[in-house]
Amino acid sequence: MSITADQTDAAPQPTSAPAIRDGAFGHATGLVCRECGATQDIGPHYVCTDCFGPLEIQYDFPAVTREQIESGPANIWRYKALLPVPDDIETSPNLEPGFTRLLRADNLARELGLETLWVKDDSTNPTNSFKDRVVACALSAAREFGSKVFACPSTGNLANAVAAAGARAGIKTVVFIPSNLETPKKVNSAVYTENLVAVDGTYDDVNKLASEIAGEEDGWAFVNVNVRPFYAEGSKTLGYEIAEQLGWRLPDQVVIPVASGSQLTKVHKAFRELVKLGLVEDKPVRIFGAQATGCSPVSEAFREGWDVVRPQRPDTIAKSLAIGNPADGIYVLDICRDTGGAVADISDDEVREAIVLLARTEGIFTETAGGTTIGVLKKLVETGQLDTSLETVVINTGHGLKTLDAVSDLVGPAATIAPTYDAFVAAGIA
């Protein structure tokens, strides 16, 4: 793993934290480095003290049955035995996200030439994006660590989710966003918190600032910085739900948007955990990543055959995917290559067209991240990289009301007429 320029020559020391109550993190047993395998005790840590590698949660899972999961609540806490959360998580005020619909998309499948297509529609979460899942897990960790401030750097959806979850939990929230973010996402955050901070710069600039604040301020839980290992586990619930909603089986192919890359890696992790636990039968699952051309460092690396991801300066309407230096980019490359998938990108115009395509075939209004994923799905079919005979799932991560500007010039009234039947006939709509 390469070390970025803003990392120091010594790994950050663990932050002091109050004593952790028994069962606070469920069946999690510690933190493990994804690079060198070194372990650490559970705490608000995210970087290996030995090699600077990223940390993730280590578990000792109990025996879990399908019946136990199915008897749980209709949200992500039905999978609490597989997450770093306490057994009493339902008693803590939270947004109760998850268990969103999996829709069979026959109209879109016919349009693209696919035999079987499903849309996992996460736009129906409480703040209308999949970020409510990861934030719920991060909030649980922040509570257990005794954090006094709940915070994040964000490209928009995460800021919405953190601000709303913090309000629900009664904890102070501070969210940082690039100042050029779409207006609906700014409003969606500011309505939940008075502490919305706009930063002149890219998301990567905002993320660097958040890392500096996390290192200086005691008691701040930055969901995707110093509690990132716990936050990231929330994305696994997408994979769990897809398998359960398909009747406890894995799909053949999945197309997933790539920003930091964490969602893709955790969906893959979820599938492997379900196999290990005997909840689904093992089978090959081809995993594909989707990026917008204006910020496509992982797609570029895949296309060029590189083993490293070279940072890019974002320039795309798909702002929720505009992370030029994705933390999990190299792991996305590994997974897509190992599973026989790919990472591809499309232009902003193709993103816009795909938003309209999904809306007019399946009645789902997606934001630019979803437009990117649908557009890449279309491209993968056209280039022959995706097998049209196999069952495919595409993930829609957010609602189109958040990015109205992206399609406002493409759609509108078919005609403006006088309030008469003759004018209606003359318009040629009948």
Side-chain angles (χ1 to χ4, degrees):
M1 175 182 156
S2 59
I3 304 301
T4 57
D6 61 333
Q7 288 177 312
T8 61
D9 59 358
Q13 295 303 306
T15 305
S16 59
I20 297 173
R21 68 184 176 110
D22 289 343
F25 296 94
H27 300 286
T29 58
L31 302 171
V32 60
C33 176
R34 292 166 73 176
E35 290 294 314
C36 73
T39 59
Q40 292 180 217
D41 292 338
I42 286 180
H45 321 311
Y46 62 105
V47 176
C48 176
T49 54
D50 288 351
C51 76
F52 295 100
L55 298 175
E56 66 176 5
I57 308 297
Q58 193 172 43
Y59 295 94
D60 181 12
F61 287 132
V64 180
T65 67
R66 295 176 180 178
E67 291 74 22
Q68 286 173 329
I69 291 172
E70 290 168 350
S71 67
N75 56 54
I76 64 171
W77 306 134
R78 67 200 288 115
Y79 309 108
K80 63 184 178 181
L82 309 179
L83 297 170
V85 299
D87 189 59
D88 62 357
I89 183 64
E90 295 100 326
T91 66
S92 300
N94 67 85
L95 297 181
E96 301 178 358
F99 217 64
T100 55
R101 58 189 184 172
L102 180 70
L103 297 177
R104 180 152 177 155
D106 289 338
N107 296 331
L108 181 58
R110 283 192 295 271
E111 182 76 20
L112 299 181
L114 289 158
E115 288 191 17
T116 308
L117 177 64
W118 302 85
V119 177
K120 179 58 172 168
D121 185 17
D122 247 27
S123 69
T124 58
N125 271 310
T127 67
N128 302 114
S129 91
F130 92 97
K131 291 294 187 181
D132 291 321
R133 298 174 181 271
V134 290
V135 166
C137 290
L139 177 61
S140 178
R143 278 198 186 103
E144 300 299 340
F145 292 138
S147 303
K148 63 183 181 182
V149 180
F150 196 48
C152 72
S154 173
T155 56
N157 285 329
L158 181 58
N160 298 172
V162 166
R168 170 78 176 131
I171 184 173
K172 178 180 178 179
T173 59
V174 182
V175 295
F176 299 82
I177 59 170
S179 58
N180 67 347
L181 202 61
E182 300 99 334
T183 297
K185 288 182 180 176
K186 290 182 182 179
V187 174
N188 268 291
S189 296
V191 75
Y192 296 119
T193 179
E194 61 185 11
N195 298 308
L196 172 66
V197 181
V199 179
D200 290 330
T202 67
Y203 170 78
D204 296 289
D205 297 323
V206 179
N207 189 51
K208 183 177 179 180
L209 172 61
S211 298
E212 293 173 357
I213 295 171
E216 295 293 334
E217 298 290 334
D218 289 334
W220 282 56
F222 277 90
V223 301
N224 48 347
V225 183
N226 55 347
V227 292
R228 183 178 179 84
F230 308 90
Y231 155 93
E233 290 291 282
S235 286
K236 294 193 306 183
T237 59
L238 271 168
Y240 298 152
E241 288 177 21
I242 289 170
E244 181 181 352
Q245 291 170 323
L246 286 175
W248 291 107
R249 59 184 174 81
L250 302 180
D252 298 315
Q253 302 175 137
V254 185
V255 186
I256 305 171
V258 175
S260 72
S262 178
Q263 181 184 121
L264 186 148
T265 65
K266 296 308 181 189
V267 169
H268 177 259
K269 183 181 182 184
F271 290 162
R272 302 320 304 163
E273 287 178 348
L274 292 177
V275 170
K276 184 177 180 180
L277 290 164
L279 294 169
V280 299
E281 290 187 9
D282 197 4
K283 62 177 284 188
V285 181
R286 302 177 70 201
I287 297 183
F288 297 85
Q291 294 199 296
T293 302
C295 186
S296 53
V298 187
S299 177
E300 179 188 35
F302 184 90
R303 183 173 59 250
E304 299 297 331
W306 299 337
D307 292 327
V308 296
V309 176
R310 299 180 181 177
Q312 296 180 356
R313 191 163 189 85
D315 183 16
T316 174
I317 61 168
K319 295 186 186 299
S320 58
L321 301 182
I323 298 180
N325 189 16
D328 281 14
I330 57 173
Y331 304 112
V332 169
L333 286 177
D334 289 343
I335 289 170
C336 291
R337 286 169 176 160
D338 289 347
T339 63
V343 188
D345 60 87
I346 57 169
S347 69
D348 283 357
D349 284 343
E350 291 172 306
V351 171
R352 295 184 181 97
E353 292 166 2
I355 292 172
V356 176
L357 174 64
L358 179 62
R360 292 182 177 175
T361 55
E362 298 299 340
I364 300 172
F365 186 17
T366 183
E367 65 162 1
T368 50
T372 300
T373 313
I374 296 297
V376 165
L377 169 67
K378 180 174 183 288
K379 180 176 182 177
L380 291 169
V381 170
E382 292 170 348
T383 58
Q385 293 172 276
L386 188 140
D387 189 334
T388 57
S389 69
L390 298 180
E391 183 175 55
T392 304
V393 175
V394 62
I395 296 177
N396 173 40
T397 53
H399 202 288
L401 289 175
K402 296 189 175 194
T403 57
L404 287 172
D405 288 351
V407 292
S408 59
D409 293 337
L410 287 184
V411 298
T416 301
I417 64 173
T420 67
Y421 180 72
D422 287 344
F424 162 70
V425 172
I429 294 174

